[in-house]
Amino acid sequence: MIRFVVAGVFAIAMLSRTVPSMAADPTQEKCTCDLVRENVLDNGASVRNATACWSTEDPDRQWCDISVQAIEGDTRQQTIVNELVRLQNDPEGMTAFLQQQAEESVLSNETPANMEYLNQARAELPALMKASDKLSAACVEGFIRYQEKKEFFKGIDEGVFSCRIGEATGWLRMSFQVGNVRFVFMVAPNA
C-alpha cells in the first residue's frame, strides 16, 4: 500500500511538470489501470506523462500497480519501440525482450503483505509469455503497421493473452493474464 501511495505522489509530482502533448491527453488508453472500463476514468490509477510502462492488475480487488519505464522527453521509449521493430519477426527474441522488461518492471517488485498470490502469478508469467510468443510477435507487427501506415488493427483476444492498439492514441497494450492477475505492457507510438 505504501508503494502505491509513493507511486501516486510521484505521479502527481511529475504531472505538475508535464508539458501538454499527445501522450498527456487523458484517455483510458494511456498507461492506465482503470479496472472498471467506462467512458470516464473513475477508479484505479493513471500516469499521463509516461510513454512506456507495465501494470499489474487485480480487477477483483480493483487494485493495480504501475511501473513506469519511460517518461515524456527521455529516449527510453524510442529504445523500446526500436527493439520491438527489430524483433517483430523473431518470436523467441521478442519473448526474451518482454521477459527482460517484465523482470525490470513487475517481476522484481515487492509483494503487498495481503497479496501473496501475486508471487505465484509472477512466477508463472515468463512461461505464459513464452507460450504466447507468436501472439506477441503478431501484436507488435500490428502496432508497427498501425504506426507506419495507420492500418487498422482489430486486436487479439486469445484467452490469457490480449493485444490492443488504442484507436485514439496508437498506444500498444499487450496483456498476459495469470489467474486473476493481469500483467499489461504499454508503450506509446513514435511521435
Side-chain angles (χ1 to χ4, degrees):
M1 179 67 177
I2 291 173
R3 186 167 182 264
F4 185 71
V5 171
V6 170
V9 171
F10 174 76
I12 291 169
M14 294 304 289
L15 290 174
S16 66
R17 298 185 307 142
T18 302
V19 176
S21 70
M22 181 177 171
D25 181 27
T27 71
Q28 290 182 355
E29 299 171 358
K30 305 265 184 82
C31 198
T32 181
C33 51
D34 185 13
L35 300 175
V36 178
R37 299 286 179 212
E38 296 179 6
N39 291 333
V40 178
L41 179 66
D42 65 354
N43 67 358
S46 66
V47 180
R48 293 185 296 168
N49 61 338
T51 54
C53 58
W54 278 86
S55 70
T56 304
E57 307 171 0
D58 182 344
D60 291 344
R61 291 182 181 232
Q62 293 196 2
W63 174 89
C64 66
D65 183 56
I66 299 173
S67 294
V68 175
Q69 289 186 294
I71 299 289
E72 287 178 354
D74 72 18
T75 60
R76 179 77 175 129
Q77 179 265 350
Q78 186 61 54
T79 302
I80 291 169
V81 171
N82 288 346
E83 194 64 10
L84 293 174
V85 169
R86 186 179 77 77
L87 296 169
Q88 68 180 312
N89 296 315
D90 178 5
E92 290 178 10
M94 178 76 65
T95 296
F97 175 70
L98 291 172
Q99 287 174 339
Q100 174 195 6
Q101 299 303 303
E103 182 63 41
E104 294 173 5
S105 299
V106 296
L107 297 179
S108 59
N109 293 345
E110 191 173 318
T111 303
N114 64 335
M115 300 175 77
E116 295 83 13
Y117 63 92
L118 282 176
N119 288 330
Q120 180 62 36
R122 288 176 178 158
E124 293 177 28
L125 179 60
L128 174 58
M129 292 172 119
K130 183 168 177 42
S132 304
D133 64 353
K134 289 180 178 45
L135 293 172
S136 296
C139 175
V140 169
E141 185 180 330
F143 174 63
I144 293 165
R145 279 195 319 254
Y146 181 86
Q147 281 191 93
E148 292 174 351
K149 303 173 191 163
K150 298 298 181 195
E151 184 177 312
F152 178 74
F153 179 73
K154 71 175 188 165
I156 300 170
D157 261 322
E158 294 287 331
V160 297
F161 177 87
S162 69
C163 170
R164 297 277 178 267
I165 309 300
E167 290 181 31
T169 63
W171 271 64
L172 168 68
R173 294 181 54 87
M174 189 181 313
S175 177
F176 302 89
Q177 179 109 15
V178 180
N180 291 335
V181 180
R182 268 192 311 249
F183 299 95
V184 185
F185 173 65
M186 297 168 271
V187 65
N190 291 332

